[in-house]
Amino acid sequence: MLRPKQFHFLFFLFFFALNLFAQDKGKTMPFKKIIIDIEKQHGVSFNYTEDNIEGLELNPPKKSLSLEQKLEYLTKRTHLSFENIGNQFINIYKKENIQKIICGYILSAADKKPVENANISLLNKTQVTTDSEGYFEFNKEEKNTFVISHIGFVSKRITAGNTDYKNCLQITLEPEITELQEIKANAILASGISKNADGSLEIKPKKFGILPGLIEPDALQTMQQIPGVNSLDESVSSINVRGGTHDQNLFLWNGIRMFQTGHFFGLISVFNPNLAHTISIYKNGSSAFYGESVSSVVAISSTSQTAEKNSFSAGINMINADIYGKYNLSKKSYIEISARKSITDFLETPTYKEYFNKVFQNTTITDFSQNQNVDYQSDKKFGFYDATLKYAQKIGTKDQIVLDLITIKDNLEVFQSATVYNINTSENNVLRQQNYGGNLSWKRNWNNFNTTKINLYNSTYELLANQKTTYDNQIVIQENTVNNNGINLENHHIINSKFSFSDGYQFNEIGITNLEQVSNPDFYRKVKDVLKTHALILEGKYNDTISRIYLKAGMRINYLEKFKKYISEPRIQLGYGISKTVNLELLGELKSQNSQQIIDLQKDYFGIEKRRWIISNNTTIPIQKSRQVSLNLFYKKNDWLLDIENFYKKVTGITTSSQGFQNQLEFVRTTGDYEVWGTEMLIQKKINHFLTWLSYTYNENNYHFPDYEYPVFPNNFELTHTLSWAGIYEKNNFKIALGTKWSSGRPKTSPNVSQIDLSDPVLIYNRPNNTNLHIFSQVNISSTYKWETANGIQYKLGISILNILNRRNEISEYYRISSLTNSIEEVDTFSLQRTPNMSFRVSF
């Protein structure tokens, strides 16, 4: 019996010998030895002079060939000719006036075997192919540059020197390894939306179909159709993913972190829907390369992966107009621009009026008008715009540089005046919100297995409110600014078609300034905080489509300079295909976040955009940390789709001021956490041109503030039950979608009337979030039609109606003491009333 050491030795010896054999295969040998072997095998005799064969080497012909075939083989591969005399004597002569040639053997770098039928392309457009031995030859020219290509191998460009039959080239080709695609299921909720193997949802706006109430592929509006994603106040600036707040989501546009996501103070997305190429949405299990978020990740890329021709489009709807253009400067560079601007400067449409009423209800602007009843006058001016620029340049075959720039701005000016008892009072309010940023990226493909990408980015955000009142001659200025910049380094390595890994480093610096300035009485406060973070990332991926196993695991280690603190963030995505139709998926992550939005006072910034960004101080404002795990069952067969996901999520380090309380906790400053668990379900069926789906979400979401008298109570963003349905019909160029959304009311806190003295009222509340608002229900419809003229110009017409039943849905409720009646009044905020919209677009 072999002992273990003997076995290991023989095992190593066997593979060593096998490797030597593989390396020897395809090697050349001296011409003299070749003809000696032929003499022995066929009983012939060669006559030659030593000068003609001196130093000549080549691959020997196969022994199975006949004598004539062997002589023909040697003729083609040498400068010699052969005269066969009766199959007994063979005379060898040197060819006269022979043209110089380039010759070579092409072998696989993996196993050293000859590569047959490889294409050799010359500059003069001549093409030759290799034979079974990997051999090729062509006539020598002044410029001996050629390209070798073969399916399954990386193409190679060669410049040959002075070669002849005695010195043929030995060329090896590297196998081309392509990672397996990860797309798991297409057409989820609508065409153009798919689910990836890593659990993320991917939206392709240019392939997007239609959803109820949407006539454009708006990223943040589309996101709200996904089970587990809601906006309790119908705002793209307040998206809640599994019970989290909007600022806990990470929004990236071409690698730039965006701190402003909505125009019209949340009713329209700042991301031009006609620009993006890919939108990736992660509810859980995001890549380790994504940091600074304890909830979801929304990554928007406008960079196309394939070459596109020149294009231009322009469109208009009842809120804004936009243009888009892409122009190829050369075969290796292009420029892309987009711009969008509101039309509210010169036209007030029914859509604008509904939006305005929704945004400005229960703000200091409407309060002023409601408090005056004599000779009230108002003049308002509102507008927004956004613009983007992309320049992409390929350098050679391995490098690419891309520059992305974006600018976003909303501006509101309201002048209000009233005359009461011959006393003139007025307010001049200015509210400005803007975000601009840039990203410069360099990508290098070292070879087909290794890629490096470096990003340099900056994002600057500003929220400014300026209020002037004539009655008390007072000026109030509030300002919140964010400056975020950094560098990202990412290396990607492909080991084989199943396994790859990535590593990288990220540096991020964020500075936030909060300014408050008041005149009469004078007050000034300015606070600036800066935090620098370093991160090391390692992530590996295994994807085997045969065994149906997908595994992606990563680790992110953050170092916070200011606090000298390390935070580890492991991530995992594991998928297993039980069968071709059933897949089981496990996602998990630990994440952290150092910046957040808080509300000091509900009337800050006129009560419109009252949230301000701040940085954690690691004490009274802790670093937020989350841990989340989910288990998903996915079934797809015969155009049926069933997706059921159970999840658990806990976020620590939250503050009461970040949660938007409008009850007894509005002025309480304490820290705690929230814990949410639930189930999300989607069932979908496609029948020819018709697609219908039904989604349901259940979750239980509770706060835990240990230092408060009522430590545990429901989360402000809890929607216990949410039900959505849609029916979509698409045929040729016509699309129509009808859908409804129903949800249980969000929590609210009622006053304890039994303990309130109505003659001198002071608000006394019951336990926080002791009851709920009324049920929310809305029916939406949208339709588009596209046609094309003979000269290739495309036209698209769209129409939508939100809340077609005109239901009055209450989305928030709080209580206050009225200064006019000295009594407790209930303040209700409602969703959009029936809101039509229409769009028209031309493209060519």
Side-chain angles (χ1 to χ4, degrees):
M1 176 179 283
L2 287 173
R3 296 179 181 177
K5 289 185 178 180
Q6 293 175 320
F7 174 79
H8 292 155
F9 174 74
L10 291 176
F11 185 78
F12 171 76
L13 187 63
F14 169 74
F15 275 98
F16 180 72
L18 188 65
N19 187 51
L20 286 178
F21 173 76
Q23 291 178 358
D24 286 339
K25 188 173 183 178
K27 279 192 173 183
T28 59
M29 67 169 57
F31 178 80
K32 190 171 184 177
K33 186 177 187 311
I34 294 174
I35 60 177
I36 291 174
D37 290 342
I38 295 175
E39 286 177 334
K40 291 180 180 178
Q41 183 179 356
H42 296 280
V44 294
S45 177
F46 285 92
N47 297 315
Y48 54 89
T49 61
E50 291 289 340
D51 291 343
N52 287 341
I53 67 170
E54 184 180 4
L56 182 61
E57 292 187 359
L58 70 156
N59 287 337
K62 293 180 180 179
K63 290 186 177 181
S64 58
L65 298 178
S66 66
L67 177 63
E68 287 300 323
Q69 289 174 325
K70 290 178 180 177
L71 294 179
E72 183 180 354
Y73 175 90
L74 296 175
T75 301
K76 286 182 177 181
R77 285 160 174 75
T78 65
H79 60 296
L80 305 173
S81 61
F82 300 85
E83 180 185 13
N84 188 354
I85 304 175
N87 285 335
Q88 289 184 343
F89 301 100
I90 300 174
N91 297 326
I92 301 177
Y93 303 98
K94 188 174 182 179
K95 293 178 182 178
E96 299 296 332
N97 300 323
I98 185 171
Q99 185 175 1
K100 293 183 178 181
I101 65 167
I102 300 293
C103 63
Y105 295 90
I106 299 178
L107 309 174
S108 169
D111 54 15
K112 305 305 178 185
K113 290 183 179 179
V115 178
E116 187 177 3
N117 293 324
N119 293 314
I120 317 297
S121 302
L122 282 72
L123 294 178
N124 61 7
K125 299 184 178 179
T126 302
Q127 286 194 343
V128 297
T129 57
T130 56
D131 61 15
S132 59
E133 299 295 325
Y135 177 81
F136 71 91
E137 67 177 41
F138 57 84
N139 292 332
K140 189 175 181 181
E141 297 180 352
E142 289 184 5
K143 295 181 179 180
N144 301 309
T145 300
F146 54 94
V147 177
I148 307 170
S149 61
H150 192 285
I151 296 176
F153 292 90
V154 180
S155 297
K156 202 166 191 177
R157 187 182 183 92
I158 300 293
T159 299
N162 296 321
T163 63
D164 52 34
Y165 280 116
K166 295 183 179 180
N167 189 23
C168 287
L169 300 171
Q170 295 282 334
I171 302 170
T172 57
L173 295 183
E174 296 287 344
E176 184 174 37
I177 298 177
T178 304
E179 288 186 284
L180 299 174
Q181 295 296 311
E182 299 175 8
I183 298 297
K184 183 170 68 177
N186 295 317
I188 293 182
L189 301 175
S191 56
I193 305 177
S194 57
K195 188 172 184 179
N196 293 329
D198 62 2
S200 65
L201 284 172
E202 186 174 271
I203 303 172
K204 296 284 189 181
K206 293 189 176 181
K207 298 180 180 179
F208 181 76
I210 194 170
L211 282 169
L214 297 183
I215 49 179
E216 296 178 318
D218 187 294
L220 305 187
Q221 296 284 3
T222 302
M223 181 182 177
Q224 295 176 48
Q225 305 285 341
I226 300 172
V229 182
N230 295 285
S231 177
L232 277 66
D233 60 2
E234 292 187 314
S235 169
V236 296
S237 294
S238 182
I239 293 178
N240 316 113
V241 180
R242 292 179 173 171
T245 55
H246 183 78
D247 60 298
Q248 292 174 346
N249 304 312
L250 176 64
F251 296 95
L252 295 173
W253 184 85
N254 288 321
I256 306 167
R257 183 182 178 187
M258 303 304 297
F259 296 89
Q260 178 184 349
T261 58
H263 282 312
F264 219 132
F265 304 106
L267 290 181
I268 303 169
S269 169
V270 298
F271 306 113
N272 191 325
N274 303 294
L275 180 65
H277 285 272
T278 305
I279 303 165
S280 300
I281 301 172
Y282 299 82
K283 292 188 291 184
N284 185 19
S286 58
S287 167
F289 283 90
Y290 295 124
E292 195 57 28
S293 107
V294 291
S295 196
S296 73
V297 175
V298 180
I300 301 173
S301 171
S302 64
T303 304
S304 175
Q305 300 300 318
T306 57
E308 294 182 347
K309 59 183 181 181
N310 298 336
S311 61
F312 175 84
S313 66
I316 188 171
N317 58 36
M318 297 175 74
I319 293 294
N320 59 258
D322 77 281
I323 59 170
Y324 165 81
K326 179 181 181 294
Y327 180 72
N328 292 310
L329 302 172
S330 67
K331 291 183 178 181
K332 292 188 175 183
S333 65
Y334 69 88
I335 188 170
E336 184 179 61
I337 61 171
S338 74
R340 181 171 53 159
K341 191 181 188 310
S342 60
I343 61 174
T344 56
D345 295 342
F346 54 88
L347 181 63
E348 290 190 4
T349 64
T351 309
Y352 168 75
K353 291 178 181 177
E354 289 298 333
Y355 279 15
F356 187 90
N357 293 336
K358 160 69 172 60
V359 170
F360 297 108
Q361 58 183 319
N362 301 320
T363 64
T364 60
I365 293 174
T366 53
D367 284 350
F368 183 92
S369 64
Q370 291 166 1
N371 289 338
Q372 315 299 325
N373 54 15
V374 180
D375 193 19
Y376 170 76
Q377 295 180 352
S378 175
D379 181 28
K380 58 183 179 293
K381 182 180 179 181
F382 171 74
F384 65 81
Y385 69 82
D386 60 70
T388 67
L389 169 69
K390 177 187 290 290
Y391 173 74
Q393 174 71 60
K394 287 186 177 179
I395 303 173
T397 60
K398 295 180 178 293
D399 299 277
Q400 183 181 35
I401 293 176
V402 179
L403 173 67
D404 286 291
L405 301 173
I406 185 171
T407 180
I408 299 162
K409 186 175 182 179
D410 284 62
N411 194 76
L412 171 69
E413 296 179 17
V414 180
F415 178 78
Q416 301 174 101
S417 65
T419 303
V420 184
Y421 302 116
N422 295 322
I423 299 176
N424 294 324
T425 60
S426 67
E427 282 188 3
N428 190 15
N429 302 300
V430 177
L431 182 61
R432 182 175 69 237
Q433 187 180 26
Q434 60 185 3
N435 197 159
Y436 51 90
N439 181 60
L440 178 64
S441 68
W442 169 65
K443 185 177 181 180
R444 168 82 175 181
N445 295 319
W446 302 100
N447 49 47
N448 271 41
F449 313 103
N450 302 284
T451 303
T452 296
K453 186 175 182 180
I454 299 177
N455 289 350
L456 291 168
Y457 63 90
N458 173 266
S459 180
T460 302
Y461 168 81
E462 180 190 38
L463 178 63
L464 172 67
N466 191 321
Q467 183 181 55
K468 297 179 182 179
T469 57
T470 59
Y471 181 74
D472 49 11
N473 192 27
Q474 186 181 66
I475 299 176
V476 178
I477 298 175
Q478 293 179 306
E479 187 176 19
N480 177 224
T481 59
V482 180
N483 188 32
N484 182 47
N485 53 73
I487 181 170
N488 295 339
L489 168 65
E490 180 177 350
N491 299 303
H492 185 58
H493 315 279
I494 300 175
I495 306 304
N496 53 46
S497 61
K498 297 179 182 180
F499 181 69
S500 65
F501 75 94
S502 302
D503 57 83
Y505 165 78
Q506 295 178 358
F507 169 77
N508 178 269
E509 180 183 51
I510 184 170
I512 298 180
T513 303
N514 280 286
L515 169 69
E516 291 179 274
Q517 184 175 355
V518 181
S519 66
N520 193 24
D522 291 339
F523 174 80
Y524 181 86
R525 180 177 65 182
K526 183 177 181 181
V527 179
K528 181 176 181 179
D529 292 302
V530 178
L531 185 63
K532 296 178 182 179
T533 306
H534 305 265
L536 293 176
I537 302 109
L538 181 63
E539 190 170 70
K541 182 176 69 175
Y542 177 81
N543 184 21
D544 187 351
T545 56
I546 297 176
S547 61
R548 296 189 290 271
I549 295 176
Y550 178 90
L551 173 63
K552 188 175 183 180
M555 174 63 77
R556 178 187 183 93
I557 300 177
N558 298 320
Y559 175 70
L560 284 65
E561 280 191 12
K562 189 175 183 178
F563 310 129
K564 294 181 173 55
K565 186 180 182 69
Y566 289 93
I567 299 176
S568 299
E569 301 181 5
R571 319 281 175 88
I572 187 170
Q573 303 116 36
L574 174 62
Y576 174 66
I578 300 173
S579 66
K580 292 183 179 180
T581 59
V582 181
N583 191 76
L584 198 63
E585 182 180 74
L586 176 69
L587 302 176
E589 64 181 19
L590 269 67
K591 298 201 292 186
S592 65
Q593 183 172 333
N594 305 313
S595 58
Q596 59 181 282
Q597 284 183 308
I598 64 167
I599 299 174
D600 279 343
L601 298 172
Q602 291 292 333
K603 297 300 182 181
D604 284 348
Y605 300 96
F606 312 137
I608 300 172
E609 180 53 85
K610 49 201 172 188
R611 298 166 299 177
R612 64 179 76 198
W613 286 95
I614 62 169
I615 294 179
S616 301
N617 58 20
N618 206 29
T619 53
T620 57
I621 306 172
I623 298 168
Q624 295 185 359
K625 297 179 182 179
S626 70
R627 57 176 181 264
Q628 184 177 185
V629 64
S630 60
L631 184 64
N632 172 259
L633 180 68
F634 188 89
Y635 169 83
K636 186 180 182 184
K637 186 177 182 181
N638 298 331
D639 292 323
W640 279 99
L641 185 149
L642 177 65
D643 193 353
I644 301 175
E645 187 165 8
N646 299 298
F647 70 90
Y648 169 82
K649 174 182 173 183
K650 184 175 182 178
V651 177
T652 61
I654 65 170
T655 62
T656 49
S657 56
S658 69
Q659 301 299 302
F661 286 106
Q662 289 182 287
N663 53 18
Q664 63 266 55
L665 284 159
E666 181 176 349
F667 304 105
V668 174
R669 299 295 180 257
T670 187
T671 62
D673 60 68
Y674 71 83
E675 192 173 32
V676 55
W677 60 272
T679 298
E680 299 161 357
M681 183 185 74
L682 172 68
I683 184 169
Q684 178 179 293
K685 174 63 176 176
K686 190 176 189 303
I687 307 171
N688 297 324
H689 302 287
F690 182 72
L691 176 72
T692 184
W693 53 261
L694 178 71
S695 70
Y696 169 74
T697 301
Y698 169 82
N699 72 70
E700 185 170 323
N701 190 351
N702 290 301
Y703 288 124
H704 180 230
F705 292 108
D707 296 331
Y708 185 60
E709 59 178 322
Y710 304 111
V712 180
F713 55 92
N715 192 305
N716 290 341
F717 304 100
E718 178 188 66
L719 290 180
T720 306
H721 305 281
T722 303
L723 189 68
S724 298
W725 169 84
I728 302 169
Y729 179 80
E730 297 184 24
K731 186 174 182 181
N732 299 327
N733 294 323
F734 175 73
K735 302 173 184 178
I736 188 169
L738 175 69
T740 182
K741 190 167 188 176
W742 177 97
S743 65
S744 52
R746 67 185 296 184
K748 71 169 187 176
T749 306
S750 62
N752 190 339
V753 180
S754 63
Q755 297 186 28
I756 297 177
D757 183 0
L758 298 179
S759 62
D760 185 18
V762 176
L763 278 172
I764 300 175
Y765 291 95
N766 289 303
R767 291 176 63 96
N769 294 341
N770 63 310
T771 185
N772 294 81
L773 298 178
H774 298 296
I775 289 171
F776 179 97
S777 178
Q778 191 178 84
V779 180
N780 306 315
I781 190 171
S782 58
S783 180
T784 62
Y785 180 70
K786 184 170 64 175
W787 69 98
E788 185 174 345
T789 61
N791 56 6
I793 300 177
Q794 291 184 347
Y795 299 93
K796 183 179 179 181
L797 179 67
I799 186 170
S800 69
I801 303 176
L802 295 173
N803 195 11
I804 59 178
L805 301 180
N806 205 28
R807 179 180 169 88
R808 193 171 168 84
N809 288 304
E810 188 181 16
I811 57 177
S812 75
E813 178 181 307
Y814 67 95
Y815 298 86
R816 66 184 178 187
I817 305 296
S818 172
S819 59
L820 296 177
T821 62
N822 194 33
S823 62
I824 296 175
E825 63 178 359
E826 180 181 304
V827 182
D828 299 318
T829 303
F830 295 92
S831 66
L832 282 169
Q833 299 295 290
R834 184 185 295 119
T835 306
N837 198 2
M838 183 179 294
S839 69
F840 177 72
R841 189 162 201 84
V842 57
S843 306
F844 55 88

